[in-house]
Amino acid sequence: MLEIKDLHSAVEGIEILKGISLTIKKGEVHAVMGPNGSGKSTLAKVLSGHPAYEVTSGEVLFQGKNLLDLSAEERSLVGIFMGFQYPVEIPGVNNAEFLRMAYNARLLNEGKDEVDPLDFDDILQEKMDMLGMEDKYKERSCNDGFSGGEKKKNEILQMAILKPVLSILDETDSGLDIDALRIVADGVNKLNGDDNALILITHYQRLLDHIKPDFVHVISGGKIIKSGGKELAHELEAQGYDWLTTAN
Amino acid sequence: MSSVIEESKNGAESAVLALHKQFLDADQPSADLLPFNKKALDIFESLKFPHRKHEMYTFVNTKVLADTSFSLKTENSVQNSFVKQHIYAGCERSHLTFVDGALCPELSDATALGTSVKIGSLIEAVKDESFKNILQKSIEQENDVFASINSAFMKQGVMVKVSRDKQVEVPLQILNVSSGGDSGPVMTVPRAYIHLEPSSELKLIVKYVGDGSNYFVNSVQDMVIEDNATLTHIQIEADSKDAWNFSKNRIFLKRDSKYLGYQTVSGTRLVRNHNEVWLNESGAEMELNGVSVLEEDEQSHQFVRVHHEVENCTSHQYFKNIINDRARASFDGTVVVNKGAQLTNSDQLINNLMLSDEGHADCKPNLMIFADDVKCAHGATVGQLDDDQLFYLKTRGLSESVAKEILTQSFARSIVQKIPFEPVVKELDETLLKKLVANNE
Ligand SMILES: Nc1ncnc2c1ncn2[C@@H]1O[C@H](COP(=O)(O)OP(=O)(O)OP(=O)(O)O)[C@@H](O)[C@H]1O
Ligand SMILES: [Mg+2]
């Protein structure tokens, strides 16, 4: 589904990703871990098409097509979703209306008609119930004044509405309390079927207890320095990253 | 080059004097208002036309206005159907229509207001000694040359008085229609006096529209809000594209009274709002909100003076401008907290959103504090659309132009949504949005 080949990326002329290669198949869950500042969010932003992150070399194929040719909105429309580490506050934009517009953009792209607002309300209600979100999050401005955990839930709500093919969740677990983490993880598990794939960026094993990864990768200094199965996450939790970075 | 400007300035002043002569000779000014007209002309002569160095017009280029020789409009007519489309839902039986500054009874209907609101002309009103004094004082103390021109040519005007303890449920709309100048530019001088007696309440909507072009609306509104009374004042400037609209609002607040002002500018050649507010007695409160959406060469200028005369008063000012193409906006606002005005609570916030490189925004929020126990804040920002917000919306599948539209609209919306009159909110959502969408394409 996704093939990243020797990806290099720079921001403001400084190289941050220094040759990332990663292949992801349908139905797989990949955890990406690594120390602060190692380039995890950068990878997520490059994949979702942030204009500030220049791809200096390498290739990314999504479902066989060159992803790097697509704009951010086109990537979303073909089924890529990024859950932001720091979701952006958008004062004055009603959350429910925003979600409906995003949903409609998807429908229009598929050549379908826009959804009736009342029907959309049912869809939205169902997803919000699943995530245990109160009604007030419909009326409030998108992420505006939301707590850290509320913002993360709102990201997963968007994921649930947009039903992406590939989701990249950047530290969705940070900021969630234990109960919220379980609810969100259950939601993600429900959304992630055999035809989808998931990249989970995280620092903590506790997320991986709920969403079981098939592979764990460690990024350090803009490169994947180690890949393994889910047991690698346990080792990292116990020993930190030092043993890896110094060994390199 | 500078001598030409100098010359034209003198020319402009003598043009006003000549026009006034003609006004006295041919326009049948009201005998009761005539002494005021003459006094105002003296004030005009002492104030002189503003130039760029004039502290009240630092950001406003009045050269074209001063160089234009206006005539006064005497014959006026406008279709009932035109008026109807500008009367808001809920004001069908509570509106006064002024065409070129003159009240048109056949286009007005105030039956829903009942007896709690007294409506009359200023000619009648000045027969009352106390009102006469108020008018006299306001003319003598005039500091704005354009307002002095209004007074010099004032022929009728309207007085709206809400009786003590009456909370008027139906909103009152004043519609100012300018029919335009067919054979050269015309000036009109709408004038209103609004008086709320103690513990009364009124929601007033003043809308400016054009049924023609080539005109200058130069209005003055005096508002007296007595103890514990509340005036909500919504001012909508939706004039013809080539119009000038200058308005001066003078607001006097007594004990525990409240003024809530909302001013929207949807774009005209040149708009200037001069708001002067006196918080004269303890517990008085005022809030002034403004939003302008400008494109091409449109201009919108806000000039605000708030006087905290006594303790325990609050004043809030929130202004937003959206500026595209070569449009210009300015905010020049001073809050004066006088000695003894302890426990004043005051803030000013001006945000400008620039959608082009050629647009221009000037901001001068200013505080003059002569008391020591006060809470005052002010700030101004000038910025573009936020890249992170744009990216966020795009990652949800929204196109660049839709994302820009959403963010631009949300910028204006925080002010528009505050307007406590749904039909205006709806109208603005549409008109402003239309303008924003057109801007993005
Ligand atoms: N827009 C930017 N401008 C300048 N430097 C940037 C920018 N984005 C990222 N960087 C730098 O790139 C490096 C990698 O950042 P990145 O956000 O990808 O780290 P991360 O692995 O996600 O870290 P964390 O675990 O703290 O979230 C850091 O040194 C960061 O300062
Ligand atoms: Mg990160």
Side-chain angles (χ1 to χ4, degrees):
Chain A
M1 174 188 293
L2 184 76
E3 236 179 304
I4 305 173
K5 294 180 199 162
D6 195 28
L7 183 66
H8 290 250
S9 172
V11 60
E12 284 163 19
I14 302 162
E15 185 168 61
I16 294 170
L17 299 186
K18 300 174 180 164
I20 300 248
S21 297
L22 184 62
T23 301
I24 295 176
K25 298 207 179 72
K26 278 204 307 199
E28 291 178 351
V29 176
H30 290 245
V32 173
M33 307 181 80
N36 294 129
S38 57
K40 304 181 297 296
S41 294
T42 302
L43 175 63
K45 284 181 185 160
V46 170
L47 292 179
S48 49
H50 196 297
Y53 296 79
E54 189 198 344
V55 173
T56 44
S57 70
E59 218 187 340
V60 181
L61 299 177
F62 177 67
Q63 296 178 323
K65 291 196 198 96
N66 182 0
L67 187 69
L68 300 177
D69 275 351
L70 305 181
S71 65
E73 66 267 28
E74 288 166 334
R75 295 184 201 194
S76 167
L77 293 173
V78 298
I80 290 183
F81 177 87
M82 166 165 70
F84 282 63
Q85 180 175 2
Y86 304 110
V88 182
E89 299 196 4
I90 313 190
V93 175
N94 174 283
N95 201 32
E97 239 172 80
F98 160 57
L99 289 164
R100 183 160 55 88
M101 282 192 270
Y103 187 75
N104 278 333
R106 180 77 37 119
L107 290 177
L108 287 178
N109 185 59
E110 289 165 3
K112 296 181 188 149
D113 287 340
E114 290 196 359
V115 64
D116 179 88
L118 288 176
D119 291 341
F120 180 74
D121 200 50
D122 291 342
I123 299 171
L124 182 59
Q125 191 62 52
E126 184 208 321
K127 310 293 183 199
M128 288 178 75
D129 288 346
M130 174 181 89
L131 292 167
M133 288 176 82
E134 291 169 48
D135 265 10
K136 63 178 182 200
Y137 297 106
K138 289 184 193 167
E139 292 319 312
R140 285 175 62 175
S141 291
C142 178
N143 294 331
D144 186 22
F146 284 26
S147 74
E150 289 165 348
K151 284 181 184 162
K152 296 300 173 66
K153 271 197 179 178
N154 205 35
E155 293 294 286
I156 301 306
L157 177 63
Q158 294 173 39
M159 175 182 166
I161 294 287
L162 296 176
K163 295 210 182 106
V165 180
L166 170 69
S167 301
I168 306 154
L169 301 182
D170 192 356
E171 297 201 25
T172 297
D173 51 334
S174 318
L176 292 176
D177 63 42
I178 308 220
D179 292 332
L181 177 69
R182 190 172 24 79
I183 293 170
V184 164
D186 287 349
V188 171
N189 281 331
K190 242 181 255 169
L191 294 167
N192 198 43
D194 289 343
D195 289 328
N196 309 86
L198 201 53
I199 299 176
L200 291 176
I201 298 173
T202 181
H203 288 290
Y204 306 105
Q205 173 60 41
R206 59 170 203 169
L207 174 69
L208 306 180
D209 289 339
H210 294 283
I211 309 174
K212 301 259 179 317
D214 302 297
F215 301 93
V216 175
H217 310 278
V218 179
I219 293 190
S220 178
K223 282 183 184 167
I224 294 182
I225 55 166
K226 184 149 183 94
S227 293
K230 54 177 171 288
E231 65 293 341
L232 178 57
H234 287 285
E235 284 174 56
L236 294 169
E237 181 104 326
Q239 305 183 40
Y241 298 109
D242 280 355
W243 62 281
L244 282 174
T245 42
T246 43
N248 253 29
Chain B
M1 196 60 209
S2 68
S3 70
V4 176
I5 294 171
E6 199 58 32
E7 221 174 76
S8 70
K9 216 172 59 189
N10 295 335
E13 273 151 29
S14 36
V16 171
L17 295 179
L19 189 62
H20 199 259
K21 224 177 161 89
Q22 187 196 323
F23 167 74
L24 296 181
D25 295 343
D27 274 349
Q28 298 162 331
S30 141
D32 296 291
L33 297 179
L34 196 57
F36 297 101
N37 296 143
K38 289 185 169 161
K39 181 73 207 166
L41 195 70
D42 292 344
I43 302 288
F44 165 76
E45 285 188 276
S46 67
L47 288 171
K48 299 205 163 54
F49 256 117
H51 44 83
R52 292 300 275 276
K53 291 201 189 85
H54 191 288
E55 61 114 11
M56 221 175 248
Y57 287 85
T58 318
F59 304 122
V60 190
N61 188 346
T62 54
K63 187 175 178 332
V64 177
L65 189 59
D67 284 349
T68 306
S69 66
F70 290 97
S71 59
L72 295 168
K73 185 103 182 185
T74 44
E75 293 289 309
N76 29 46
S77 77
V78 58
Q79 296 291 319
N80 193 10
S81 56
F82 177 85
V83 169
K84 273 213 174 106
Q85 85 193 55
H86 290 289
I87 299 299
Y88 290 106
C91 300
E92 292 88 351
R93 309 212 155 278
S94 57
H95 64 268
L96 303 172
T97 302
F98 288 79
V99 178
D100 301 322
L103 179 68
C104 288
E106 68 281 7
L107 297 173
S108 304
D109 181 348
T111 48
L113 294 169
T115 52
S116 39
V117 183
K118 216 180 123 201
I119 295 167
S121 92
L122 290 186
I123 301 172
E124 283 304 306
V126 287
K127 291 180 177 147
D128 176 90
E129 206 52 39
S130 75
F131 175 68
K132 193 172 168 179
N133 289 335
I134 292 174
L135 189 62
Q136 181 107 20
K137 227 169 99 184
S138 103
I139 287 173
E140 278 169 3
Q141 294 174 356
E142 189 56 72
N143 54 7
D144 188 325
V145 67
F146 287 98
S148 77
I149 294 176
N150 173 292
S151 302
F153 291 91
M154 165 179 67
K155 223 173 115 178
Q156 45 161 288
V158 66
M159 182 200 69
V160 174
K161 196 167 193 167
V162 185
S163 310
R164 179 184 284 266
D165 294 329
K166 297 293 181 199
Q167 278 118 47
V168 186
E169 302 259 312
V170 269
L172 167 63
Q173 180 178 356
I174 291 180
L175 180 67
N176 279 303
V177 185
S178 296
S179 66
D182 306 324
S183 50
V186 290
M187 174 177 72
T188 67
V189 289
R191 179 105 187 185
Y193 174 73
I194 315 291
H195 188 149
L196 271 69
E197 290 190 347
S199 300
S200 66
E201 253 180 69
L202 179 70
K203 189 179 282 183
L204 175 69
I205 300 129
V206 181
K207 186 175 187 181
Y208 294 88
V209 293
D211 187 26
S213 55
N214 218 2
Y215 63 86
F216 171 31
V217 210
N218 182 16
S219 70
V220 173
Q221 289 73 226
D222 285 301
M223 305 180 197
V224 174
I225 309 172
E226 293 204 62
D227 297 10
N228 202 36
T230 300
L231 176 64
T232 301
H233 176 212
I234 304 167
Q235 177 172 314
I236 298 124
E237 269 140 357
D239 283 292
S240 303
K241 260 196 144 347
D242 67 348
W244 290 273
N245 184 325
F246 279 33
S247 87
K248 175 157 187 181
N249 294 314
R250 227 183 321 245
I251 299 142
F252 303 93
L253 287 148
K254 298 202 178 167
R255 191 173 192 91
D256 299 326
S257 67
K258 207 190 245 183
Y259 171 82
L260 298 169
Y262 307 86
Q263 304 183 339
T264 75
V265 178
S266 57
T268 301
R269 182 194 325 222
L270 180 58
V271 172
R272 179 178 183 269
N273 289 323
H274 178 166
N275 295 291
E276 191 138 21
V277 185
W278 278 270
L279 299 147
N280 281 331
E281 292 181 20
S282 177
E285 251 183 83
M286 82 102 195
E287 184 175 322
L288 188 57
N289 301 277
V291 61
S292 296
V293 179
L294 309 170
E295 62 183 7
E296 296 173 4
D297 293 294
E298 294 167 350
Q299 299 199 21
S300 170
H301 303 280
Q302 316 298 324
F303 184 87
V304 184
R305 291 291 178 267
V306 177
H307 307 270
H308 280 264
E309 298 286 308
V310 296
E311 71 290 340
N312 280 320
C313 294
T314 53
S315 66
H316 302 291
Q317 300 171 53
Y318 306 109
F319 284 86
K320 289 200 171 186
N321 300 309
I322 298 175
I323 300 164
N324 201 3
D325 304 325
R326 299 160 306 281
R328 297 177 80 98
S330 75
F331 177 89
D332 182 332
T334 299
V335 175
V336 186
V337 181
N338 278 315
K339 225 169 107 188
Q342 301 297 3
L343 301 174
T344 285
N345 187 345
S346 167
D347 54 33
Q348 275 178 310
L349 187 62
I350 303 99
N351 302 118
N352 294 288
L353 175 59
M354 311 301 295
L355 298 177
S356 70
D357 295 333
E358 307 90 54
H360 198 91
D362 291 299
C363 277
K364 207 172 122 197
N366 194 17
L367 280 167
M368 287 167 66
I369 304 178
F370 303 102
D372 49 27
D373 187 10
V374 300
K375 214 174 102 195
C376 293
H378 62 180
T381 65
V382 178
Q384 281 94 37
L385 289 176
D386 184 284
D387 283 339
D388 288 327
Q389 292 181 340
L390 270 177
F391 176 63
Y392 189 78
L393 294 177
K394 288 199 277 186
T395 61
R396 279 20 177 180
L398 301 175
S399 68
E400 170 107 11
S401 69
V402 169
K404 279 187 172 166
E405 197 180 297
I406 290 173
L407 293 179
T408 311
Q409 203 201 4
S410 74
F411 179 85
R413 205 184 252 173
S414 63
I415 300 277
V416 173
Q417 267 177 345
K418 279 200 204 173
I419 299 174
F421 186 55
E422 201 46 41
V424 169
V425 175
K426 256 172 120 178
E427 176 189 56
L428 291 173
D429 267 346
E430 250 167 59
T431 51
L432 298 187
L433 179 67
K434 224 186 256 163
K435 200 164 170 179
L436 297 171
V437 172
N439 268 333
N440 272 319
E441 273 155 13

